[in-house]
Amino acid sequence: MSQPRSLERLRHHYEVEKELAARLRASTREERPVLFQKLYQELFDRVPDHPRLTRRASPEESQRKVEGQMRLLRPFLKPGGTLVEVAPGDCRLGYAACAAGAGRVIGVDISDQRLEADKARAPSAFELVVYDGYHLDLPAGIADVAFSYQFLEHLHPDDVRPHFDIVNRLLKPGGWYVFDTPHRFSGPHDISVVFGSELVGFHFQEWTLGDMSRHLRQCGFSNMQAIKGGRRCGSVMTAAWLLVESITGLLPRALRKRIADRLFQSVTVAAQKPL
């Protein structure tokens, strides 16, 4: 969090997010495209000191975030290639990818969340596509790489498989989906953690590497590589991390969390579409 907040402000954030998340959990697929946008805006209106808002207002924190994301993404970017970023938010990462040599960057989101200053400095190679979260009117096989950061945990459980199906369709054969999402063993990673151990906020679920490996195979991805310390692991090291994770998962919850706080803060992986 950008600035320490009082327990009173944290409790307010918790109660508001818990209330709004309950409405999302009970929603239908038909309701969610409008409801997601509406309820997140209500959250930010009612919780003006939300960390997402305060981070965006800080140039230093915003720059650190972009630099960290570029460390994950850069090994997969091809000069002149096409990147699709899911839920780009302020789109500053997409702008940085254009500057790093991407030929085309397409941000896809349910709304345009950019500040006016960010809109004004958009590179010519960047475009933002606003869609309903389900029907994305882009050609199949358009992307060399897709990217999302701290996004999957916000998906309603019924929308996880459709999301991966969309990404798979957009990727070229051999293309990569690079993403980062919080790890379940060290969670909860949303406001829920301040007052309990169960996810009751806008994180609908958090994964392990093992969970994600199985899910990716079911969604048609042929190769998953873990990314640890900003470095891409090969198949042997990925298997080693999966083993360490499975052993950690057998430990009592308190000990498991202490270890996971050091080893498993996030599930950060690259998944490849078959050639």
Side-chain angles (χ1 to χ4, degrees), residues 52-199:
R52 187 183 294 186
L53 300 179
T54 55
R55 280 196 300 266
R56 187 173 69 174
S58 165
E60 295 80 14
E61 289 199 36
S62 177
Q63 183 62 28
R64 280 195 294 269
K65 178 183 175 183
V66 169
E67 289 173 355
Q69 292 174 337
M70 282 299 297
R71 281 194 294 273
L72 300 179
L73 186 56
R74 190 173 280 110
F76 300 91
L77 280 178
K78 297 180 179 180
T82 296
L83 164 68
V84 171
E85 184 186 3
V86 182
D90 58 25
C91 298
R92 293 169 187 172
L93 173 67
Y95 295 3
C98 291
R104 185 182 184 191
V105 176
I106 306 170
V108 297
D109 213 331
I110 59 172
S111 64
D112 187 344
Q113 300 173 39
R114 292 175 294 177
L115 301 174
E116 290 303 319
D118 288 319
K119 292 179 184 179
R121 67 183 188 90
S124 59
F126 179 86
E127 66 177 297
L128 181 68
V129 176
V130 176
Y131 76 124
D132 65 1
Y134 300 107
H135 307 100
L136 185 56
D137 189 21
L138 288 173
I142 195 174
D144 297 286
V145 59
F147 182 80
S148 70
Y149 188 84
Q150 301 287 297
F151 164 73
L152 296 173
E153 64 274 13
H154 296 281
L155 287 173
H156 189 283
D158 293 345
D159 296 338
V160 173
R161 178 59 188 262
H163 165 73
F164 278 91
D165 288 343
I166 288 173
V167 171
N168 200 329
R169 182 182 70 83
L170 293 178
L171 285 173
K172 298 175 181 177
W176 292 90
Y177 183 19
V178 182
F179 59 86
D180 177 284
T181 188
H183 197 291
R184 188 171 75 243
F185 287 175
S186 53
H189 291 267
D190 66 358
I191 191 66
S192 305
V193 72
V194 182
F195 299 102
S197 59
E198 301 300 321
L199 292 170

Side-chain angles (χ1 to χ4, degrees), residues 16 19 25 31 39 54 56 78 85 91 101 141 165 181 190 203-204 209 211 237:
V16 170
E19 170 201 331
R25 282 183 171 84
E31 293 170 333
L39 293 186
T54 55
R56 187 173 69 174
K78 297 180 179 180
E85 184 186 3
C91 298
D165 288 343
T181 188
D190 66 358
H203 284 199
F204 286 92
L209 278 170
D211 294 336
M237 282 304 300

Side-chain angles (χ1 to χ4, degrees), residues 1 5-22 25 43 46-47 49-51 188-203:
M1 296 181 182
R5 293 188 290 173
S6 68
L7 185 60
E8 180 183 9
R9 291 304 304 164
L10 289 170
R11 171 65 73 176
H12 172 71
H13 179 171
Y14 174 80
E15 295 295 346
V16 170
E17 188 161 324
K18 182 179 178 181
E19 170 201 331
L20 300 179
R25 282 183 171 84
L43 172 67
R46 293 170 64 182
V47 187
D49 54 352
H50 192 288
H189 291 267
D190 66 358
I191 191 66
S192 305
V193 72
V194 182
F195 299 102
S197 59
E198 301 300 321
L199 292 170
V200 297
F202 278 152
H203 284 199

